[in-house]
Amino acid sequence: MYRILLCILLLGTTLALPAQTNKKIRSLQREQTSLKKKIANQEHMLKSTKKDVNSQLANLQVINVQIEGQQKYVNGIHAELTEVATTISGLERQLKLLEADLAVCKRRYQRSVSYIFHNRMQVSKWQFILSAKNFKQMYRRLRYLSSFSRYQRAQAEIIRQKEAQVQAKRNELLGVKTEKNRLLREGQAEQRKLQGQQQERQQVVNELNKRQAELQASIAQQRKKAAALDARIDQLIQQEIAAAERRRKAELARQAKLKAQREQAKREQAEAKRKATAAANAKKAAAENGAKTNNAGTKTTASGNTRSNTKRNATKTGTKPWHTYTKPVETSTAPEFAESNADRAINNSFAGSRGRLPMPITGSYAITRHYGSYSVAGLKGVQLDSKGINITGHPGAQARAVYKGEVTAIFTVGGLYNIIVRHGSYMSVYCNLSSTSVRRGQNVQAGQTLGTVATDASGNSTLHFQLRKETARLNPEAWLGR
């Protein structure tokens, strides 16, 4: 019985071994599918046949993105091949263990059959039972034969299961090896494709290097346009910050005024209460004096004197009768610091969305210019600097808000529209739009369309996107989800 349980335990263990590896392979395959889709979309973007420097530079940026994606795809295939090779090794080890277990089970079954043949086949089973010396021995022989029969049946069942497992493991191993061969062929094809893209890039780079003067002039013109755009953005953001500061100060002044009004009302109420208390005390004192006078036998005179004293005391102290009504001062019930609280809430919410903001362009896309200063691969002496990122999509792509906020500015530079959306102290900027679908002062929601992205020299729609926190520039790629 112990051997049977041991075999069943080994069966469960061998089946669970490849689960983790297969899960990782499926994850790699999903990543490969996503990368392949992006590469196909990027290939459609590379369609410009113009030979001017601007078009070639735009195409070079798209090619660089394609090569980057293709390299990731090839690396993913290599990683998947590594995992498949690991799976094959694990399956081969499991197959050997199963075959060894099967051989052990068969030997045990063979020994049990041989034992019966040599020791029990000379007489029948009933003769063996009935030849017992007494009833107790007969009962023990009956139980022995019954247990031995069950053991033989269990051994036969284990052998059948082991044979099925061995066959299934062989089929699985064959399937994994077939998948490995397919991946090898695909990897070789994708590697050739990558080499073709690198050769294409080199051709563009060589052409641009030959036209170094035109290239530098084009880059200088782009820098001039970018500087003008950045200066305009900085100016508008400074104006928005100043306007926000004015609103903050006005709100503080309003709250200070409300506070002064409330304090004045409290002082007037306290003064009225004090005067009422003084009048009540004076009246009480007058009443006590009148009572004493009445006891002395001068009731009428005392009463007159009391009224005269009361009148004189009221005139002297300036008090009013105890029942005098003072109208309360009306005060606003608006919540204090409502605007700052709202800005603080949206700031915290926006900051919590770092790395999860939606892409500011619809459809498939490629990031063709990164944030900051960097060199273009292959070009000599070419240094690009960007305060944001360029996101290239298909013609007709729409710009969309990355978060809820208020449209604080819509302006034009070089005939193209640009939009600034405020999210508390954060600002998102959308540039190079051919048209807009929002107005200044409008509140927008995340994902809402802001306008249509204009086409660039390569014939694609390229959105320039920036992200600020007040005047500080942020790297949009760290905030956007992929």
Side-chain angles (χ1 to χ4, degrees), residues 63 66-67 70-71 74 187-203:
I63 291 173
Q66 285 183 333
I67 290 176
Q70 189 69 26
Q71 187 64 60
V74 171
Q188 292 169 355
E190 295 298 332
Q191 188 67 37
R192 288 192 297 269
K193 186 176 179 180
L194 176 61
Q195 292 172 354
Q197 290 174 342
Q198 291 171 340
Q199 292 173 0
E200 183 181 5
R201 178 176 66 179
Q202 192 60 44
Q203 291 176 358

Side-chain angles (χ1 to χ4, degrees), residues 285-299 302 306:
E288 291 176 353
N289 291 334
K292 292 178 180 179
T293 304
N294 289 336
N295 293 334
T298 57
K299 180 177 180 181
T306 301

Side-chain angles (χ1 to χ4, degrees), residues 211-247:
R211 305 166 68 180
Q212 190 68 221
E214 293 180 49
L215 176 62
Q216 294 295 342
S218 174
I219 292 175
Q221 184 180 10
Q222 290 181 12
R223 285 176 178 168
K224 185 177 179 180
K225 290 181 180 179
L229 176 63
D230 291 335
R232 183 64 174 148
I233 292 172
D234 292 339
Q235 178 187 6
L236 291 172
I237 288 179
Q238 288 288 0
Q239 291 176 2
E240 178 59 29
I241 292 174
E245 181 65 15
R246 288 193 299 272
R247 290 194 298 269

Side-chain angles (χ1 to χ4, degrees), residues 172-190:
E172 184 180 359
L173 183 59
L174 179 62
V176 173
K177 287 182 177 179
T178 303
E179 176 67 12
K180 180 180 179 181
N181 293 333
R182 185 194 67 79
L183 286 173
L184 283 172
R185 291 192 298 270
E186 182 180 1
Q188 292 169 355
E190 295 298 332

Side-chain angles (χ1 to χ4, degrees), residues 55-81:
S55 299
Q56 287 184 322
L57 187 58
N59 278 342
L60 178 60
Q61 293 170 345
V62 174
I63 291 173
N64 286 335
V65 174
Q66 285 183 333
I67 290 176
E68 182 182 354
Q70 189 69 26
Q71 187 64 60
K72 287 181 180 179
Y73 189 71
V74 171
N75 293 341
I77 291 177
H78 291 163
E80 193 173 349
L81 279 170

Side-chain angles (χ1 to χ4, degrees), residues 173-446:
L173 183 59
L174 179 62
V176 173
K177 287 182 177 179
T178 303
E179 176 67 12
K180 180 180 179 181
N181 293 333
R182 185 194 67 79
L183 286 173
L184 283 172
R185 291 192 298 270
E186 182 180 1
Q188 292 169 355
E190 295 298 332
Q191 188 67 37
R192 288 192 297 269
K193 186 176 179 180
L194 176 61
Q195 292 172 354
Q197 290 174 342
Q198 291 171 340
Q199 292 173 0
E200 183 181 5
R201 178 176 66 179
Q202 192 60 44
Q203 291 176 358
V204 176
V205 166
N206 293 339
E207 182 67 23
L208 288 173
N209 284 329
K210 290 178 183 177
R211 305 166 68 180
Q212 190 68 221
E214 293 180 49
L215 176 62
Q216 294 295 342
S218 174
I219 292 175
Q221 184 180 10
Q222 290 181 12
R223 285 176 178 168
K224 185 177 179 180
K225 290 181 180 179
L229 176 63
D230 291 335
R232 183 64 174 148
I233 292 172
D234 292 339
Q235 178 187 6
L236 291 172
I237 288 179
Q238 288 288 0
Q239 291 176 2
E240 178 59 29
I241 292 174
E245 181 65 15
R246 288 193 299 272
R247 290 194 298 269
R248 186 186 69 83
K249 290 181 178 180
E251 177 66 15
L252 290 176
R254 184 185 69 84
Q255 292 168 7
K257 183 179 179 180
L258 289 176
K259 184 177 180 181
Q261 290 176 349
R262 286 194 295 269
E263 291 177 351
Q264 179 65 23
K266 288 179 180 179
R267 285 194 298 268
E268 290 179 357
Q269 291 174 0
E271 180 65 18
K273 184 177 180 181
R274 186 188 65 78
K275 290 179 179 180
T277 302
N281 291 336
K283 185 176 181 180
K284 182 178 179 181
E288 291 176 353
N289 291 334
K292 292 178 180 179
T293 304
N294 289 336
N295 293 334
T298 57
K299 180 177 180 181
T300 304
T301 303
S303 298
N305 290 338
T306 301
R307 286 194 296 272
S308 298
N309 291 334
T310 303
K311 184 176 181 180
R312 285 195 300 271
N313 290 335
T315 303
K316 183 177 180 181
T317 58
T319 59
K320 297 179 181 179
W322 64 273
H323 58 275
T324 300
Y325 172 73
T326 302
K327 183 178 180 180
V329 178
E330 293 183 1
T331 59
S332 173
T333 58
E336 296 186 10
F337 305 103
E339 184 177 0
S340 61
N341 286 339
D343 285 346
R344 189 179 301 110
I346 196 171
N347 285 340
N348 294 336
S349 179
F350 191 93
S353 300
R354 180 185 174 94
R356 296 186 289 110
L357 295 177
M359 293 301 298
I361 193 171
T362 58
S364 57
Y365 66 90
I367 297 178
T368 51
R369 179 168 292 188
H370 300 281
Y371 175 82
S373 299
Y374 61 96
S375 301
V376 180
L379 292 182
K380 300 176 182 178
V382 175
Q383 187 78 14
L384 298 180
D385 181 58
S386 179
K387 303 302 186 293
I389 61 174
N390 284 2
I391 308 173
T392 300
H394 292 292
Q398 303 290 312
R400 59 184 180 181
V402 297
Y403 204 77
K404 64 180 180 180
E406 178 188 358
V407 178
T408 58
I410 299 177
F411 62 99
T412 59
V413 173
L416 297 176
Y417 292 95
N418 308 275
I419 297 175
I420 298 177
V421 180
R422 184 174 73 89
H423 321 277
S425 60
Y426 290 90
M427 308 277 182
S428 56
V429 187
Y430 311 80
C431 306
N432 300 338
L433 305 182
S434 60
S435 63
T436 63
S437 55
V438 293
R439 65 183 184 279
R440 188 174 182 272
Q442 179 179 345
N443 290 323
V444 296
Q445 299 298 319

